[in-house]
Amino acid sequence: MNKSFPIGIFDSGIGGLSVLSKIQSQLPGESLIYVADSLNAPYGTKDNLIILRRAIVIVDFLIKHHQIKLLVIACNTATAAAIKELRSIYSIPIVGMEPAIKPANEASVLKKVGILATEGTLKSSKFSALLDTYSGDTQFYTQPCVGLVELIEQGHLESKEIITLVHKNLMPLYEKNVDVIVLGCTHFIFIKNIVEDFFDKKVTVIETGSAVAIQVQRKLNEFSLENNGPNIQRIIYSNSPNENMDKIIHSILAANKFEYVFYSNWNEEQ
Ligand code: DGL
């Protein structure tokens, strides 16, 4: 395996761009290839097998076209649904992500935490195991946020519609008096401000992008795969034409230079 090969990253859509941005800051000398499977979003209401099949198509593409040296599943739902199977299929290191239960338990003074995640993540056995292991003496309240990923994918980042839906999901958590909110879905980074405003900035909002970036660095070290440029490649592929994509990429990736490629050719026959 060559150190200069890229890191592959995927999500059901634009949510994982927040993780991509953290990896880019943490590891500026790495080539990064991101796949947004927006045509098939949301994953959160789909069966594990369907998600696994999508993941295999994407990882095969990343290996065939970019020879990736490490894979990041920048999606809580796909991690819960498929990481175990993906690790048994592919020999490259795979880093996944999961809701930050342990940090939330440590951060909550009132010992009451709200979790926003997809239905798929919240129903998964991986999530139950996580709660069993790390919830400590904290009470966790979950909200599946149905319809939110779809709105974010459509580029509704500040519309009335999205604010109403987020408030509807936050109200039960407010009534429970939570002092920490876990963003357990990578798409929800885009509603962080709405969450903070709703609670009048009196809650701590936790997301996992930075922790994932550190874990990626650890894995690269472990396998002696860390790269230091200078000829690096940065590409974002998406299979759904999204007129807001440029705006979204620039809002989240600031001055970093990523090439955006619309690629419609992913299907399971490939
Ligand atoms: N962004 C993904 C996650 O972290 C999945 C959202 C979806 O497609 O439902 O869970």
Side-chain angles (χ1 to χ4, degrees), residues 51-69:
I51 298 172
L52 174 62
R53 282 163 61 178
R54 288 307 309 154
I56 290 173
V57 170
I58 292 165
V59 181
D60 284 350
F61 169 85
L62 286 166
I63 290 175
K64 185 170 158 201
H65 294 268
H66 293 286
Q67 298 178 286
I68 58 165
K69 62 182 175 183

Side-chain angles (χ1 to χ4, degrees), residues 11 24 106 154 163 193:
D11 178 39
Q24 198 276 329
E106 286 158 8
Q154 288 160 20
I163 293 173
N193 290 342

Side-chain angles (χ1 to χ4, degrees), residues 101-236:
I101 304 300
K102 193 170 176 228
N105 172 39
E106 286 158 8
S108 177
V109 176
L110 301 175
K111 295 293 160 202
K112 288 173 183 211
V113 171
I115 304 182
L116 307 179
T118 66
E119 221 177 303
T121 298
L122 296 175
K123 276 196 201 146
S124 67
S125 51
K126 217 167 182 306
F127 180 70
S128 313
L130 199 61
L131 272 186
D132 285 349
T133 315
Y134 295 115
S135 57
D137 50 354
T138 297
Q139 194 64 42
F140 282 83
Y141 304 97
T142 58
Q143 280 297 114
C145 301
V146 176
L148 195 49
V149 169
E150 289 91 319
L151 282 185
I152 294 168
E153 280 293 317
Q154 288 160 20
H156 284 259
L157 305 183
E158 283 161 351
S159 70
K160 234 186 166 137
E161 207 175 338
I162 198 161
I163 293 173
T164 306
L165 184 59
V166 174
H167 285 189
K168 190 176 144 216
N169 279 280
L170 292 177
M171 193 45 96
L173 303 177
Y174 175 80
E175 284 165 359
K176 296 289 182 196
N177 205 20
V178 301
D179 62 350
V180 173
I181 295 283
V182 174
L183 302 181
C185 167
T186 51
H187 279 75
F188 299 167
I189 194 74
F190 291 104
I191 55 143
K192 190 175 179 198
N193 290 342
I194 306 178
V195 174
E196 285 173 341
D197 289 349
F198 178 86
F199 285 96
D200 217 3
K201 311 244 180 316
K202 291 193 181 89
V203 286
T204 304
V205 179
I206 300 185
E207 47 95 18
T208 30
S210 304
V212 170
I214 292 168
Q215 178 61 7
V216 170
Q217 186 166 35
R218 261 193 227 120
K219 276 280 160 215
L220 290 177
N221 262 322
E222 186 185 327
F223 290 88
S224 302
L225 284 174
E226 220 168 322
N227 190 43
N228 249 328
N231 297 320
I232 52 173
Q233 226 189 346
R234 296 200 186 123
I235 305 174
I236 296 172

Side-chain angles (χ1 to χ4, degrees), residues 11-16 34 37 40-46 73-79 97 117-121 149-150 153 183-188:
D11 178 39
S12 62
I14 59 174
Y34 181 92
D37 193 16
N40 296 289
Y43 281 180
T45 48
K46 293 190 169 60
I73 308 176
C75 175
N76 295 264
T77 313
T79 300
M97 58 196 301
T118 66
E119 221 177 303
T121 298
V149 169
E150 289 91 319
E153 280 293 317
L183 302 181
C185 167
T186 51
H187 279 75
F188 299 167

